[in-house]
Amino acid sequence: MSGPRKRVVAFISGGGSNMLALARACEAADYPAEIVAVFSDKPEAGGLAKAEALGIPTRVFERKSYGSKAEHEAAILAALAEIGPDLICLAGYMRLLSGDFIRPHEGRILNIHPSLLPLFPGLNTHQRAIEAGMKVAGCTVHFVTEGMDEGPVIAQSVVPVMIDDTAETLAARVLTVEHRTYAAALKLVASGGVSMRKDGSVERLSSETDAGARLISA
């Protein structure tokens, strides 16, 4: 690893399993990033205690404490300005970010989505995949842009859809690859192997990086 580690703020709304996976990856001496704070919009989010147990500072910005979405996001942006992170990782953060929030950090916000985008953006991805007769499902790590789940892909992982799958069993299978896919994608971005250009496309250092980033085998 060359140079200082990239400073990351992770956003969560629930149990924080992807955040925890990133934090565990960051424990490796050669990993190019570190989580310096965890933000949540829900005070009851289980991931807060997990972060605190690892010594990671946490902040809660409960939506109902603010008069509007703009005020809520302004408070979060102010806190980010104090910390000065290099990257933001949305890890089960269940709020859509406005363009005003995204623009100051564009190209530096990552998200993980439980489908093979551009298939099945939004919610209920696993049930929709089953109903569509998909033979494979998976997860996608992408840069965040103003369009919901439309940002350029950094990495994807694939799992099979079994004939007797329910939304719950498929979700559990996808989750097993989400954790390592997110950690691998963050490593690519933090090391400079992958970045987002001004035109919204992805720049990769080599075709080998591209192959490794686009599809991480389950």
Side-chain angles (χ1 to χ4, degrees), residues 2 6 10 27 34 44 76 106 120 148 152 160 168 174 195 206:
S2 60
K6 299 298 185 184
E27 292 175 353
E34 61 177 333
E44 70 275 14
I76 300 172
E106 195 160 38
F120 312 118
M148 183 182 68
E168 291 72 25
V174 170
S195 59
S206 70

Side-chain angles (χ1 to χ4, degrees), residues 78-162:
L80 287 172
E82 293 174 5
I83 295 171
D86 300 295
L87 298 166
I88 296 168
C89 286
L90 308 182
Y93 188 65
M94 301 305 291
R95 291 198 169 276
L96 291 176
L97 300 176
S98 71
D100 289 339
F101 188 100
I102 293 168
R103 278 189 289 274
H105 298 280
E106 195 160 38
R108 299 188 293 115
I109 308 176
L110 283 62
N111 182 50
I112 188 161
H113 182 75
S115 79
L116 295 172
L117 292 172
L119 297 174
F120 312 118
L123 301 176
N124 303 317
T125 56
H126 306 298
Q127 186 61 41
R128 289 158 63 199
I130 291 169
E131 290 174 356
M134 297 296 295
K135 302 304 181 187
V136 295
C139 66
T140 302
V141 181
H142 64 96
F143 288 108
V144 174
T145 58
E146 292 188 41
M148 183 182 68
D149 299 329
E150 292 180 359
V153 170
I154 302 165
Q156 293 181 307
S157 288
V158 175
V159 299
V161 179
M162 304 303 186

Side-chain angles (χ1 to χ4, degrees), residues 59-73:
R59 293 279 301 271
V60 175
F61 302 87
E62 192 171 12
R63 172 63 182 86
K64 68 180 183 181
S65 299
Y66 301 89
S68 66
K69 177 183 179 73
E71 289 179 15
H72 183 236
E73 291 191 341

